[in-house]
Amino acid sequence: MMSPLKVLLSIISLFAVLGIIALIYPNDGIHIGDSTLRYPKLTEIFVKQSASDSLGDSAAVDPEEAIREMMEATKRQQFAAFSDSLKFYEDFFEKGRTRFDLPNNDPTWFDRFFLHMELASLDSNVVHILHYGDSQLEEDRISATIREDLQDEFGGAGPGMMPIIMTVPSQTTSHASTGALSRYILFGPKDEEADHSRYGPLAQLAKLQGDAAITIQRRKERKGQFPHVGGYKTIKLLTNKSAHIKAKLNVNLTVVDTVGQNDDGTVKEKRSTKVVDAGEPTIDTYNKLKVFTWKLKDTTSIAKMYLSGNGEIYAIAADGAYGVAVDNVAMRGSSGTIFHRIDSELLAESYKAMNVRLIIMEYGGNMVPSVTSSNIDWTKKIITRQIQAVQKANPDADILFIGPADMARQKDGQWQTYSGLNMTIKALREVALENGVAYWDMHRVMGGNGAMIKWVNKEPALGFTDHIHFTRRGAAYMGDLFCSALRMHYDYFKFRDRHHITDEKLKELHKWSVEEQAEKEKNVLPERTFLNVKRRTKKAKGGAKK
């Protein structure tokens, strides 16, 4: 075994030999054929490496800084991926013809409404959307298309709330009432008004003094067109609190009986329809409202209610077990200037009882012929009053105002858009946005001035020959356009939820996009300047030649 001293001397000798080789070894190495043998010089071995060169030294790198850089790089990569999608949505929100005009240009305005819609199925609840409007909505036009689209997306069935006495037939639901009922409306002639303000959510009521019967059922001839409007699972009746009314509900149910055995051994069944008693309703009372509710064991598309006693009836509702309901409230001849005249407490209780989360006010068409610059301020004040009356009754609901469509009249033998239309639309939009209400411009959606003339001349026609109202086909098309615009916001809502993009992160994304765009323009600027100089030089030379 070698002693420690001998080991040390051996190591020193080895280093000495290596050092001598380094001194005498040629700087350019030894060439053998196509290969070159090199040996490091002593200066390369012993010269201290500078801090800037020690990139491989992990001790010289701040770990926190490295993590921050990695996170920043990841964020930039994410932001770049999100940027294109956000631009797609925001371009539509800013420039799309069917876009909504939103308070503070906030594209997240619908978020609260969408959240309620999504929770409806989880909570086994029904979210109501009240669609108020003028004669454009008669026959359940426009509303029926919106209802089908939303029920297809979020679940739900039935036509929603309806008056006890319906004077204009619905294209989706057959409705009949008989007996000791009298109708009072707030949007008609004075002699049809009640002697009080208790009108409820539909701006009308029926007074019961004796016995009556109401039948509602899905129109069989339109079953394929409106598949969700049938299938009732929840029936409600809204009356005044002090009403003395006995209510009985019968429903038609399909019953399956076993009647033997088929030749192949399977059970032979016979289907039949039977009328059954829906049982006793639950009754909820408020300060001014009483609500009867029947939760059916099975779905039905035919329900008949028998009433006896005395009281005021504000609505009957047919809904699914959960999901969305869209209530069609058409007011022929109305400009929507009646909401401040409805008992606010009763209206608030009705909205609460029916879980109303979106209120659509579609008005303006009946104002257009009489609007001038001299009365436009009054128009703004009266509509502001209506919006604020609805907001007071239901501060938890979102309100969307839909302005008038294009309208034309004959002048000098030619159909021309009403001169007051654009002025009316401008005023309605301003009032809506000032009060935190969204606005949807049907006039712009159609294509602006003269669009109704084109809609009337289409084959098949989308507008009636009065150049004011939509045909059923035109109304359905308008409903489709509305739903497409709403779906853009819902897709935007889901996109942000899917990628966990909070409001704060959205602000960061916008800031990043602005900075990125500025950086791109900065980099492009020298090239543009050079090209401009080149063009000017070329132009100057061309001028000199001339």
Side-chain angles (χ1 to χ4, degrees):
M1 180 178 293
M2 292 180 65
S3 65
L5 179 60
K6 288 183 179 180
V7 172
L8 177 60
L9 290 172
S10 298
I11 293 172
I12 292 172
S13 300
L14 177 61
F15 276 108
V17 172
L18 293 174
I20 293 169
I21 295 172
L23 287 171
I24 64 174
Y25 205 87
N27 290 335
D28 59 347
I30 299 173
H31 302 284
I32 302 174
D34 294 332
S35 301
T36 302
L37 300 177
R38 298 186 182 278
Y39 195 86
K41 306 299 289 181
L42 290 177
T43 53
E44 295 175 4
I45 297 172
F46 293 106
V47 172
K48 185 178 179 180
Q49 193 173 21
S50 67
S52 61
D53 294 334
S54 55
L55 296 176
D57 186 358
S58 60
V61 179
D62 181 358
E64 290 186 5
E65 182 62 29
I67 291 172
R68 278 195 294 271
E69 288 181 2
M70 289 175 63
M71 290 178 66
E72 188 64 30
T74 301
K75 186 170 77 171
R76 284 196 301 270
Q77 188 176 8
Q78 284 182 341
F79 280 15
F82 295 153
S83 182
D84 287 343
S85 295
L86 286 173
K87 189 176 186 307
F88 168 75
Y89 291 118
E90 291 172 359
D91 280 350
F92 170 79
F93 300 151
E94 182 183 355
K95 296 176 285 191
R97 197 170 86 179
T98 62
R99 69 186 183 275
F100 294 95
D101 295 306
L102 300 169
N104 301 316
N105 293 317
D106 180 10
T108 68
W109 188 86
F110 286 102
D111 283 7
R112 179 172 70 163
F113 168 64
F114 292 142
L115 190 58
H116 285 305
M117 301 273 273
E118 290 195 336
L119 291 175
S121 59
L122 298 175
D123 298 340
S124 296
N125 203 358
V126 177
V127 171
H128 274 256
I129 299 170
L130 254 169
H131 190 181
Y132 294 110
D134 50 30
S135 53
Q136 288 282 30
L137 301 189
E138 284 187 336
E139 296 186 332
D140 202 12
R141 294 181 303 159
I142 302 180
S143 304
T145 302
I146 296 172
R147 181 187 303 118
E148 281 297 320
D149 185 86
L150 294 181
Q151 288 181 343
D152 192 52
E153 179 74 42
F154 298 100
M161 284 192 285
M162 297 170 290
I164 291 298
I165 301 173
M166 187 177 288
T167 56
V168 179
S170 164
Q171 64 175 328
T172 60
T173 303
S174 177
H175 180 293
S177 56
T178 58
L181 293 166
S182 51
R183 176 177 181 253
Y184 299 88
I185 62 174
L186 189 54
F187 49 88
K190 280 287 183 184
D191 59 358
E192 294 185 19
E193 292 184 10
D195 57 2
H196 55 72
S197 61
R198 298 186 303 272
Y199 284 93
L202 306 184
Q204 62 179 286
L205 65 98
K207 188 174 288 186
L208 174 69
Q209 294 175 305
D211 298 330
I214 301 100
T215 304
I216 55 172
Q217 62 181 325
R218 176 175 56 190
R219 287 193 179 278
K220 295 179 181 178
E221 68 272 20
R222 296 187 177 275
K223 181 178 178 180
Q225 189 175 355
F226 302 104
H228 295 295
V229 81
Y232 320 144
K233 198 74 184 292
T234 306
I235 306 291
K236 289 179 182 284
L237 182 73
L238 278 64
T239 74
N240 62 314
K241 180 183 177 180
S242 57
H244 297 285
I245 296 176
K246 290 183 178 180
K248 178 184 177 181
L249 181 68
N250 285 350
V251 294
N252 285 28
L253 297 179
T254 300
V255 180
V256 181
D257 294 317
T258 302
V259 293
Q261 198 174 49
N262 294 313
D263 294 338
D264 60 0
T266 58
V267 175
K268 189 175 183 179
E269 296 177 340
K270 180 183 178 181
R271 293 177 178 270
S272 59
T273 301
K274 292 184 179 179
V275 178
V276 300
D277 188 334
E280 291 297 315
T282 60
I283 301 176
D284 296 307
T285 57
Y286 299 79
N287 288 335
K288 294 188 175 183
L289 182 70
K290 184 186 294 183
V291 181
F292 298 74
T293 303
W294 288 266
K295 293 283 188 180
L296 306 180
K297 293 181 181 179
D298 298 295
T299 59
T300 184
S301 58
I302 303 177
K304 189 167 186 177
M305 189 177 293
Y306 297 92
L307 306 173
S308 62
N310 297 280
E312 297 168 358
I313 305 174
Y314 307 119
I316 184 173
D319 299 324
Y322 65 88
V324 185
V326 177
D327 314 305
N328 173 264
V329 190
M331 304 179 187
R332 180 183 292 184
S334 175
S335 295
T337 57
I338 46 83
F339 293 94
H340 71 287
R341 296 172 56 200
I342 301 175
D343 185 298
S344 185
E345 186 178 8
L346 175 62
L347 188 59
E349 291 175 357
S350 300
Y351 287 154
K352 183 178 180 180
M354 300 307 293
N355 194 28
V356 176
R357 296 295 182 175
L358 179 66
I359 297 171
I360 302 174
M361 303 173 73
E362 185 175 326
Y363 295 106
N366 290 307
M367 291 179 169
V368 169
S370 59
V371 165
T372 63
S373 56
S374 62
N375 63 17
I376 193 67
D377 288 339
W378 176 87
T379 300
K380 293 175 73 172
K381 286 179 183 178
I382 192 67
I383 293 300
T384 297
R385 191 175 183 184
Q386 308 318 306
I387 290 173
Q388 291 176 352
V390 174
Q391 287 174 327
K392 179 184 176 183
N394 196 345
D396 296 326
D398 295 308
I399 301 175
L400 168 65
F401 203 103
I402 298 181
D406 187 48
M407 300 165 53
R409 63 177 177 178
Q410 280 196 322
K411 187 176 181 181
D412 299 327
Q414 298 289 325
W415 287 102
Q416 298 179 18
T417 294
Y418 276 85
S419 58
L421 179 59
N422 289 285
M423 187 190 307
T424 306
I425 291 169
K426 183 176 182 291
L428 294 175
R429 181 187 285 107
E430 288 175 359
V431 166
L433 298 179
E434 286 169 4
N435 287 278
V437 171
Y439 187 85
W440 198 59
D441 189 346
M442 280 201 297
H443 176 255
R444 180 178 64 206
V445 169
M446 291 179 70
N449 286 0
M452 182 56 84
I453 301 168
K454 296 176 183 177
W455 280 43
V456 172
N457 292 330
K458 281 187 178 292
E459 187 61 44
L462 299 179
F464 279 119
T465 53
D466 65 0
H467 289 73
I468 293 175
H469 296 93
F470 300 127
T471 61
R472 282 184 180 176
R473 187 182 294 272
Y477 180 48
M478 186 58 71
D480 284 334
L481 292 172
F482 175 87
C483 290
S484 296
L486 190 64
R487 183 168 292 280
M488 283 292 287
H489 281 273
Y490 183 60
D491 288 347
Y492 179 62
F493 170 79
K494 297 299 290 182
F495 171 79
R496 286 179 287 118
D497 180 60
R498 191 163 56 248
H499 297 291
H500 310 290
I501 300 176
T502 61
D503 290 345
E504 193 61 37
K505 191 171 182 179
L506 195 60
K507 290 178 183 177
E508 279 190 74
L509 275 163
H510 287 146
K511 182 181 177 183
W512 178 85
S513 296
V514 170
E515 290 172 352
E516 281 290 296
Q517 186 61 33
E519 188 64 28
K520 286 179 181 178
E521 290 178 358
K522 181 181 176 182
N523 293 334
V524 170
L525 187 60
E527 182 182 350
R528 287 179 177 171
T529 304
F530 170 75
L531 289 173
N532 288 338
V533 170
K534 190 174 179 181
R535 289 193 190 102
R536 285 197 298 269
T537 304
K538 186 175 180 181
K539 187 176 181 182
K541 287 180 179 179
K545 279 185 179 181
K546 288 181 182 179

